[in-house]
Amino acid sequence: MPFREAMEAKYRDILAKYIEEQKESTLYLAQKFSRKSIENQVTPEEIISLHKMILQEMYPEMPTYVTHSFDLLLEIMLGYGFAYREHQSLRHQQKELRSEIEIAANVQHTLLDTEIPVVEGLDIGAISVPARLMNGDYYNFVQDENQCISIAIADVIGKGIPAALCMSMIKYAMDSLPEHRNEPSILLENLNHIVEQNVDPSMFVTMFHGIYNYEQHLFSYASAGHEPGFFYDGKKKEFTEITARGLMLGIDKKTKYTQYEKKIEPGDMIILLSDGVTECRTSEGFVEKDTLLTYIDKYLHLSAQEIVNRIYKDLEQIQNFQLRDDFTLIILKRSV
Amino acid sequence: MNIKIDLFENDRVIEVFVHGEIDAYTAPELRDILFPLSKKDEVQMVVDLTNVNYMDSTGLGVFVGIFKNIRAQSGELRLMGLSDRLKRLFEITGLADIMDINSPIEGEVE
């Protein structure tokens, strides 16, 4: 039996039953009926029209004022019917958008994917988790034939889809500047031009770029307004903030960047992060720098990847598992 | 998560008092109010952030946008009353070097 006919018969049954005897169990049947009709996209005015028709069949003597009153009710419910159909169509569109964003997030993941280089004497760990579906943070490793590893960590100001799209552009811009890979300050200068010219004027990028020479264990770096990371001195067992001044990318075309160098000794560590790490908020306030360093200190004996994973888990937990911002943490550890 | 913005406009001088938090949720409101004003000729805008207890990078983006607009129209932007945490945000990003942040008011004794 087609659905509409079955529905009519069912409704006739329920209505007759209820008029005869006002039982709770019949009301329950009515509830079930309404769920089923919503599922099958039956509109409110269709139900009223059905109700009117069945009443007329059951009671041919029904007073005309009752029939008229149903006509009025029908008219009123038409508006509700429209609203309902609009709601249905929005829900449908929302589903479509969501699945498109999910696909975009996957594409982004593939585009921005980077492999952590494996080098003897150096232990590298990295984690990047978006607060929403798409990530506005980015990190990238490139190993070259000159015993150097290029490390970039960046954050687009802004969140969500626009930030993520912007990041994909930065990655391709970086890939197209291979000749400058060994000079972080020059790489930032070039990227600054690209961001300044091509990205929306209200969108800005912070980036830290470093080159680790694993033959000499020399780390050269420059920062474009990026959240400062830390050096860990394995001998003194001390953390110091990496101070590197420089303006964010995309603000001033003429910006120059200062390049710094640091010798990395056995047991030393380089910790790079995004502001999603330092801007962690709990009910008691911000996660202070010292708290973060105590966490790192606690896991020092583990591998770099283990350390970043554990810190993420800990900070996620104290924030009640709700990231406010994209979270990226990278650790490079020179083996003893 | 709320924001209150008080505005005092006197010809080209615009004083803005912000109360509350500036984050991804409230920044659009701040932007909608300040952007049109920042595009006027030679404005002298002072934004008082004494009562802002939190600002994230989205808020920073709004101020950079306003700063660029105002500079393009030969105006001036001054931010004042920033807490240490807010000041740090401007320092890290290098913005403190190009923007007027917490500078003492003329005639004020430091």
Side-chain angles (χ1 to χ4, degrees), chain A residues 157 204 225 227 245 248 250 286, chain B residues 54 57 64 88 92-93 97:
Chain A
I157 302 239
F204 313 98
E227 181 71 30
R245 280 189 94 103
M248 290 193 287
F286 291 96
Chain B
Y54 175 76
S57 50
V64 174
R88 180 175 177 269
I92 289 170
T93 49
D97 296 336

Side-chain angles (χ1 to χ4, degrees), chain A residues 88-118:
Chain A
Q88 291 294 95
S89 118
L90 283 176
R91 262 180 64 157
H92 185 71
Q93 282 177 22
Q94 194 192 27
K95 253 193 209 157
E96 271 181 12
L97 277 177
R98 200 178 159 83
S99 78
E100 271 182 35
I101 295 172
E102 269 162 22
I103 295 167
N106 277 335
V107 171
Q108 188 203 21
H109 198 78
T110 318
L111 284 177
L112 300 185
D113 202 25
T114 182
E115 240 173 72
I116 298 177
V118 183

Side-chain angles (χ1 to χ4, degrees), chain A residues 254-270:
Chain A
K254 286 171 277 182
T255 312
K256 298 269 176 226
Y257 295 92
T258 315
Q259 190 164 308
Y260 305 81
E261 270 181 8
K262 164 107 179 141
K263 183 99 175 79
I264 305 298
E265 304 294 340
D268 286 359
M269 272 193 331
I270 302 166

Side-chain angles (χ1 to χ4, degrees), chain B residues 21-34:
Chain B
E21 304 189 349
I22 310 177
D23 59 15
Y25 300 97
T26 60
E29 194 182 333
L30 186 69
R31 187 200 317 264
D32 289 348
I33 292 176
L34 297 186

Side-chain angles (χ1 to χ4, degrees), chain A residues 49-102:
Chain A
S49 169
L50 181 66
H51 185 89
K52 181 184 146 198
M53 188 189 83
I54 294 171
L55 268 189
Q56 277 173 326
E57 275 174 27
M58 286 164 74
Y59 306 99
E61 312 295 312
M62 189 167 70
T64 47
Y65 66 83
V66 177
T67 322
H68 291 327
S69 82
F70 273 115
D71 291 337
L72 188 79
L73 185 59
L74 254 176
E75 200 55 39
I76 288 173
M77 290 320 277
L78 265 179
Y80 282 88
F82 280 130
Y84 171 70
R85 279 189 288 276
E86 200 176 290
H87 169 81
Q88 291 294 95
S89 118
L90 283 176
R91 262 180 64 157
H92 185 71
Q93 282 177 22
Q94 194 192 27
K95 253 193 209 157
E96 271 181 12
L97 277 177
R98 200 178 159 83
S99 78
E100 271 182 35
I101 295 172
E102 269 162 22

